[in-house]
Amino acid sequence: MPERVRYELLLWELMQVLRDAAGPLSSSQVFDQVRERTGPTSYERERVKSGRVRWEVVLHLYSGDAATVGWMTKRDGWSITEAGLEAIAAFPSPDELYAERNRRYREIDEQRKRAQENLSGVQQFIASALELVEAGTWTAHDDLAELADTSPAEVAHFLANWSVRLPNGYRVLNADGSIPDEGILNAAYRGTDLRRRLSGEGVEFDGEGRACQAQRLDANALKALFEERPDDDDGGFDAATSKRAWMVRGSNVDGFNLVDDWLRDGYV
């Protein structure tokens, strides 16, 4: 049998470490405890092309997956959620928990792929809209959805997609001004205190952690800003005729990474 990473065990021990902790842990504390519990094999201890240790790369990725499906959070340290505790109780073995993680992740991944496909004609428009959301202001998934003629859920899944990281994406909140759940945040913003970051930019929050509605750029405000842009040919707003862009993926084409070849040869 070829050597393989013990994916099921790493995920299981990750969740066990978080469950047994008295409070939030740092990432290094989690990695140290998982190392002690699993005793990585020689294959798992090998370094991959990036120079990182194989099992640590896998654990980092799976911690992100666990956050995506709502089993853990990385805000103010790594800790397990109620959903994570329920998952351990409902799937009491490494194989069962791993299978459930795969099922839930596939479901979310499909939602995000559908969102990206459905939004492919307006992705550039959303990026342009976010350029208007300057420091000290925020907008909501609902506002972008209204302008782009789609649903707030599809906007949220598009922004959360691992392959997308739009400038000012962290300034998109829930309609009530609350920070989106970590599972719907782009991976770049997980483990980040977004409230503190936004507060540092001038956004005010109430005692319940909701951003001030007076600082919100709703659909009408964004539309007005578009119309005021000096580089618009006709000064008007039309999402249907906004610029569009293609996304070309080369990081996993039949198991091969083509990006290095594209960069070296200068073409895609």
Side-chain angles (χ1 to χ4, degrees), residues 6 9 12 31 70 108 130 189 192 194 227 245 259 263:
R6 297 169 296 170
L9 182 62
W12 176 259
F31 276 72
I108 293 172
L130 286 178
Y189 305 128
T192 300
L194 291 183
E227 292 174 341
V259 175
L263 292 173

PDB file of all heavy atoms in Angstrom, residues 6 9 12 31 70 108 130 189 192 194 227 245 259 263:
ATOM      1  N   ARG A   6      -2.765  10.445   7.116  1.00  0.00           N
ATOM      2  CA  ARG A   6      -3.925   9.957   7.863  1.00  0.00           C
ATOM      3  C   ARG A   6      -4.915  11.108   8.067  1.00  0.00           C
ATOM      4  O   ARG A   6      -5.067  11.656   9.156  1.00  0.00           O
ATOM      5  CB  ARG A   6      -3.474   9.360   9.198  1.00  0.00           C
ATOM      6  CG  ARG A   6      -2.570   8.130   9.048  1.00  0.00           C
ATOM      7  CD  ARG A   6      -1.936   7.760  10.378  1.00  0.00           C
ATOM      8  NE  ARG A   6      -1.040   8.815  10.856  1.00  0.00           N
ATOM      9  CZ  ARG A   6      -0.498   8.840  12.073  1.00  0.00           C
ATOM     10  NH1 ARG A   6      -0.749   7.860  12.935  1.00  0.00           N
ATOM     11  NH2 ARG A   6       0.302   9.829  12.420  1.00  0.00           N
ATOM     12  N   LEU A   9      -7.570  10.826  10.867  1.00  0.00           N
ATOM     13  CA  LEU A   9      -7.044  10.961  12.218  1.00  0.00           C
ATOM     14  C   LEU A   9      -6.690  12.410  12.535  1.00  0.00           C
ATOM     15  O   LEU A   9      -6.948  12.896  13.649  1.00  0.00           O
ATOM     16  CB  LEU A   9      -5.814  10.068  12.398  1.00  0.00           C
ATOM     17  CG  LEU A   9      -5.179  10.073  13.791  1.00  0.00           C
ATOM     18  CD1 LEU A   9      -6.167   9.547  14.828  1.00  0.00           C
ATOM     19  CD2 LEU A   9      -3.899   9.244  13.799  1.00  0.00           C
ATOM     20  N   TRP A  12      -9.845  14.309  13.205  1.00  0.00           N
ATOM     21  CA  TRP A  12     -10.423  13.856  14.474  1.00  0.00           C
ATOM     22  C   TRP A  12      -9.672  14.445  15.674  1.00  0.00           C
ATOM     23  O   TRP A  12     -10.292  14.984  16.598  1.00  0.00           O
ATOM     24  CB  TRP A  12     -10.373  12.329  14.515  1.00  0.00           C
ATOM     25  CG  TRP A  12     -10.853  11.738  15.802  1.00  0.00           C
ATOM     26  CD1 TRP A  12     -10.075  11.261  16.826  1.00  0.00           C
ATOM     27  CD2 TRP A  12     -12.210  11.557  16.220  1.00  0.00           C
ATOM     28  NE1 TRP A  12     -10.866  10.790  17.841  1.00  0.00           N
ATOM     29  CE2 TRP A  12     -12.180  10.965  17.496  1.00  0.00           C
ATOM     30  CE3 TRP A  12     -13.440  11.836  15.623  1.00  0.00           C
ATOM     31  CZ2 TRP A  12     -13.339  10.651  18.198  1.00  0.00           C
ATOM     32  CZ3 TRP A  12     -14.593  11.527  16.327  1.00  0.00           C
ATOM     33  CH2 TRP A  12     -14.542  10.941  17.604  1.00  0.00           C
ATOM     34  N   PHE A  31      -1.261  22.779  16.963  1.00  0.00           N
ATOM     35  CA  PHE A  31      -0.356  21.926  16.193  1.00  0.00           C
ATOM     36  C   PHE A  31       0.504  21.072  17.127  1.00  0.00           C
ATOM     37  O   PHE A  31       0.739  19.892  16.850  1.00  0.00           O
ATOM     38  CB  PHE A  31       0.523  22.780  15.273  1.00  0.00           C
ATOM     39  CG  PHE A  31      -0.129  23.126  13.968  1.00  0.00           C
ATOM     40  CD1 PHE A  31      -1.161  24.047  13.910  1.00  0.00           C
ATOM     41  CD2 PHE A  31       0.267  22.521  12.786  1.00  0.00           C
ATOM     42  CE1 PHE A  31      -1.770  24.370  12.716  1.00  0.00           C
ATOM     43  CE2 PHE A  31      -0.332  22.825  11.576  1.00  0.00           C
ATOM     44  CZ  PHE A  31      -1.361  23.756  11.545  1.00  0.00           C
ATOM     45  N   GLY A  70     -18.563  25.252   9.904  1.00  0.00           N
ATOM     46  CA  GLY A  70     -19.106  25.752  11.157  1.00  0.00           C
ATOM     47  C   GLY A  70     -18.718  24.978  12.396  1.00  0.00           C
ATOM     48  O   GLY A  70     -19.323  25.181  13.459  1.00  0.00           O
ATOM     49  N   ILE A 108     -21.309  22.850   0.480  1.00  0.00           N
ATOM     50  CA  ILE A 108     -20.975  24.276   0.466  1.00  0.00           C
ATOM     51  C   ILE A 108     -20.202  24.646  -0.792  1.00  0.00           C
ATOM     52  O   ILE A 108     -20.435  25.688  -1.412  1.00  0.00           O
ATOM     53  CB  ILE A 108     -20.170  24.634   1.726  1.00  0.00           C
ATOM     54  CG1 ILE A 108     -21.049  24.486   2.967  1.00  0.00           C
ATOM     55  CG2 ILE A 108     -19.618  26.057   1.641  1.00  0.00           C
ATOM     56  CD1 ILE A 108     -20.299  24.632   4.272  1.00  0.00           C
ATOM     57  N   LEU A 130     -17.309  47.379  -5.009  1.00  0.00           N
ATOM     58  CA  LEU A 130     -16.552  47.352  -3.762  1.00  0.00           C
ATOM     59  C   LEU A 130     -15.469  48.434  -3.725  1.00  0.00           C
ATOM     60  O   LEU A 130     -15.074  48.884  -2.651  1.00  0.00           O
ATOM     61  CB  LEU A 130     -15.932  45.970  -3.553  1.00  0.00           C
ATOM     62  CG  LEU A 130     -16.911  44.875  -3.139  1.00  0.00           C
ATOM     63  CD1 LEU A 130     -16.194  43.536  -3.001  1.00  0.00           C
ATOM     64  CD2 LEU A 130     -17.588  45.223  -1.826  1.00  0.00           C
ATOM     65  N   TYR A 189      -9.838  36.334   5.612  1.00  0.00           N
ATOM     66  CA  TYR A 189     -10.271  37.142   6.749  1.00  0.00           C
ATOM     67  C   TYR A 189     -10.595  36.311   7.983  1.00  0.00           C
ATOM     68  O   TYR A 189     -10.990  36.866   9.007  1.00  0.00           O
ATOM     69  CB  TYR A 189     -11.497  37.970   6.351  1.00  0.00           C
ATOM     70  CG  TYR A 189     -11.271  38.828   5.129  1.00  0.00           C
ATOM     71  CD1 TYR A 189     -12.140  38.778   4.046  1.00  0.00           C
ATOM     72  CD2 TYR A 189     -10.161  39.666   5.047  1.00  0.00           C
ATOM     73  CE1 TYR A 189     -11.928  39.557   2.926  1.00  0.00           C
ATOM     74  CE2 TYR A 189      -9.939  40.440   3.918  1.00  0.00           C
ATOM     75  CZ  TYR A 189     -10.831  40.381   2.861  1.00  0.00           C
ATOM     76  OH  TYR A 189     -10.606  41.149   1.751  1.00  0.00           O
ATOM     77  N   THR A 192      -9.312  36.928  11.792  1.00  0.00           N
ATOM     78  CA  THR A 192      -9.072  38.364  11.873  1.00  0.00           C
ATOM     79  C   THR A 192     -10.192  39.023  12.663  1.00  0.00           C
ATOM     80  O   THR A 192     -11.357  38.671  12.499  1.00  0.00           O
ATOM     81  CB  THR A 192      -9.006  38.983  10.462  1.00  0.00           C
ATOM     82  OG1 THR A 192      -7.947  38.366   9.726  1.00  0.00           O
ATOM     83  CG2 THR A 192      -8.760  40.476  10.518  1.00  0.00           C
ATOM     84  N   LEU A 194     -12.387  41.478  12.503  1.00  0.00           N
ATOM     85  CA  LEU A 194     -12.886  42.425  11.506  1.00  0.00           C
ATOM     86  C   LEU A 194     -13.556  43.631  12.157  1.00  0.00           C
ATOM     87  O   LEU A 194     -13.516  44.736  11.613  1.00  0.00           O
ATOM     88  CB  LEU A 194     -13.859  41.729  10.562  1.00  0.00           C
ATOM     89  CG  LEU A 194     -13.236  40.697   9.618  1.00  0.00           C
ATOM     90  CD1 LEU A 194     -14.297  40.124   8.683  1.00  0.00           C
ATOM     91  CD2 LEU A 194     -12.114  41.322   8.800  1.00  0.00           C
ATOM     92  N   GLU A 227     -23.013  56.693 -10.619  1.00  0.00           N
ATOM     93  CA  GLU A 227     -23.434  57.724 -11.571  1.00  0.00           C
ATOM     94  C   GLU A 227     -22.575  58.971 -11.490  1.00  0.00           C
ATOM     95  O   GLU A 227     -22.491  59.743 -12.448  1.00  0.00           O
ATOM     96  CB  GLU A 227     -24.895  58.070 -11.313  1.00  0.00           C
ATOM     97  CG  GLU A 227     -25.840  56.914 -11.658  1.00  0.00           C
ATOM     98  CD  GLU A 227     -27.279  57.180 -11.278  1.00  0.00           C
ATOM     99  OE1 GLU A 227     -27.509  58.079 -10.436  1.00  0.00           O
ATOM    100  OE2 GLU A 227     -28.174  56.495 -11.811  1.00  0.00           O
ATOM    101  N   ALA A 245     -15.168  39.739 -16.796  1.00  0.00           N
ATOM    102  CA  ALA A 245     -13.840  39.122 -16.787  1.00  0.00           C
ATOM    103  C   ALA A 245     -13.963  37.614 -16.712  1.00  0.00           C
ATOM    104  O   ALA A 245     -14.954  37.082 -16.214  1.00  0.00           O
ATOM    105  CB  ALA A 245     -13.043  39.639 -15.591  1.00  0.00           C
ATOM    106  N   VAL A 259       0.276  26.745 -13.298  1.00  0.00           N
ATOM    107  CA  VAL A 259       0.533  28.171 -13.112  1.00  0.00           C
ATOM    108  C   VAL A 259       2.010  28.507 -13.316  1.00  0.00           C
ATOM    109  O   VAL A 259       2.342  29.513 -13.949  1.00  0.00           O
ATOM    110  CB  VAL A 259       0.059  28.620 -11.718  1.00  0.00           C
ATOM    111  CG1 VAL A 259       0.439  30.086 -11.468  1.00  0.00           C
ATOM    112  CG2 VAL A 259      -1.451  28.447 -11.592  1.00  0.00           C
ATOM    113  N   LEU A 263       3.468  31.276 -15.942  1.00  0.00           N
ATOM    114  CA  LEU A 263       4.268  32.417 -15.561  1.00  0.00           C
ATOM    115  C   LEU A 263       5.610  32.401 -16.280  1.00  0.00           C
ATOM    116  O   LEU A 263       6.101  33.455 -16.720  1.00  0.00           O
ATOM    117  CB  LEU A 263       4.477  32.415 -14.048  1.00  0.00           C
ATOM    118  CG  LEU A 263       3.224  32.678 -13.193  1.00  0.00           C
ATOM    119  CD1 LEU A 263       3.555  32.473 -11.707  1.00  0.00           C
ATOM    120  CD2 LEU A 263       2.700  34.091 -13.416  1.00  0.00           C
TER     121      LEU A 263
END
